[in-house]
Amino acid sequence: MSTHEPAPASRLQRLVETTMAVMLAIMAGSVFVNVVLRYGFGGGIAASEELSRLLFVWMVFLGATAAYPLGHHRAFTSLLLVLRGRWSGRALAVMTRLIHALVLLACVLVGWGAWQQVIVGMDSTSVVLGYPAALLPLPAFLCAAAIGVMAAVQLLRGTPIRLVHAAEVEAE
């Protein structure tokens, strides 16, 4: 790979960000057209609301998944900021592993609940568009699974937690 080619992670990051931007544009366009039709012509597109809801849910969970490896989640990191100057390196390493374990536990719980909703949603469809209702909780399950895998890898490796906006958090 040449030095000018971006790393695969940055390509994936750009793909996710582009996908979210397209989803946002479709949502904004669909809602705008629906508002114009509703107030200007007395009727609207019923599918606009369902489409916007579905895209919004997917966009939120795509964003949450993409934010995790960049260290943009606030998770349980505030404690590390407080203890960073007071604890030894070993104690901080233990706390870091505990945080990764708590994130993994949270992902298991969210993933389990989301999967239960996916199963429930398989037998029903949305009212207007007719897509399987399982498509609404599915991104929560996929997000929990993806972040859970990342947290498990970080837990096993003992990866330090990135404190991206430490100065901002300390100022609050």
Side-chain angles (χ1 to χ4, degrees):
M1 181 159 71
S2 76
T3 57
H4 298 292
E5 288 184 45
S10 64
R11 281 187 193 155
L12 181 60
Q13 187 72 24
R14 275 190 272 142
L15 175 65
V16 169
E17 289 171 359
T18 301
T19 301
M20 290 187 326
V22 168
M23 288 176 163
L24 184 60
I26 291 170
M27 285 170 36
S30 139
V31 169
F32 176 76
V33 167
N34 205 33
V35 166
V36 168
L37 290 174
R38 197 170 279 159
Y39 290 107
F41 302 99
I45 303 169
S48 172
E49 291 178 31
E50 273 191 10
L51 178 64
S52 295
R53 182 182 322 115
L54 181 65
L55 290 176
F56 180 74
V57 170
W58 277 87
M59 187 178 68
V60 165
F61 285 106
L62 268 176
T65 305
Y68 185 79
L70 300 176
H72 291 296
H73 280 280
R74 290 286 181 234
F76 303 98
T77 57
S78 296
L79 187 57
L80 275 183
L81 290 171
V82 172
L83 301 175
R84 185 172 45 183
R86 299 180 184 133
W87 282 18
S88 69
R90 178 76 178 128
L92 285 176
V94 169
M95 183 60 69
T96 296
R97 286 188 186 264
L98 176 63
I99 289 170
H100 290 311
L102 289 171
V103 170
L104 183 57
L105 175 64
C107 288
V108 167
L109 294 173
V110 169
W112 177 255
W115 182 249
Q116 296 302 311
Q117 292 301 308
V118 167
I119 291 171
V120 168
M122 286 184 177
D123 293 333
S124 60
T125 59
S126 70
V127 177
V128 179
L129 291 175
Y131 61 79
L135 286 179
L136 280 170
L138 182 61
F141 172 76
L142 296 174
C143 174
I147 292 176
V149 167
M150 289 185 271
V153 168
Q154 290 171 335
L155 175 64
L156 294 173
R157 290 183 180 167
T159 308
I161 293 175
R162 293 180 61 183
L163 300 172
V164 177
H165 303 288
E168 294 173 15
V169 174
E170 287 174 353
E172 290 178 359

